[in-house]
């Protein structure tokens, strides 16, 4: 049986992105639930929710942007650019929310 010892495991990188996405997604859900339990006292958590959602979108976009060639590589990269755009909007909402709470 042939074993390719020259290349790293091609699934290791995707596994890292999957685990990070699961951890950040659970963090978004947890912080969101805590922030909605008592919004007056936990208003400072809303910018954190938007920031974590932005990180989550970036984690979803990176594998799509760095995907290999193929017939649908252009569509995958366009989806990646769209996810980065959404991540930028969420990051702006986090900054605006933090500035509004800080004032």
């Amino acid at each position: 049986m042939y074993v390719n010892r020259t290349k790293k495991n091609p699934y290791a990188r995707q596994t890292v992105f999957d685990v990070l996405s699961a951890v950040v997604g659970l963090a978004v859900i947890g912080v969101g639930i805590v922030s909605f339990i008592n919004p007056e006292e936990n208003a400072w958590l809303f910018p954190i929710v938007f920031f974590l959602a932005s990180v989550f979108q970036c984690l979803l976009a990176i594998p799509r942007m760095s995907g290999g060639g193929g017939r649908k590589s252009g569509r995958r990269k366009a989806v990646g650019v769209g996810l980065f755009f959404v991540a930028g909007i969420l990051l702006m909402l986090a900054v605006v929310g933090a500035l509004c709470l800080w004032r």
Side-chain angles (χ1 to χ4, degrees):
M1 184 169 120
Y2 175 74
V3 177
N4 187 359
R5 297 188 192 278
T6 60
K7 293 185 179 180
K8 294 180 181 178
N9 185 0
Y11 300 109
R13 185 173 167 206
Q14 185 63 37
T15 304
V16 169
F17 280 111
D18 289 342
V19 170
L20 286 174
S21 295
V23 168
V24 173
L26 289 174
V28 168
I29 292 170
V31 174
I33 289 172
V34 170
S35 65
F36 279 109
I37 288 175
N38 193 355
E40 290 83 21
E41 289 182 14
N42 298 327
W44 58 275
L45 288 174
F46 286 106
I48 295 172
V49 170
F50 286 119
F51 177 73
L52 287 173
S54 173
V55 170
F56 183 70
Q57 289 295 320
C58 287
L59 285 173
L60 292 177
I62 290 171
R64 286 171 176 79
M65 292 294 291
S66 63
R71 283 184 23 197
K72 296 185 179 183
S73 67
R75 181 178 291 172
R76 284 178 50 93
K77 289 187 182 190
V79 169
V81 168
L83 288 172
F84 273 125
F85 180 73
V86 171
I89 291 173
L90 289 169
L91 186 62
M92 286 190 302
L93 285 172
V95 170
V96 168
L99 288 175
C100 288
L101 289 173
W102 183 52
R103 290 186 83 207

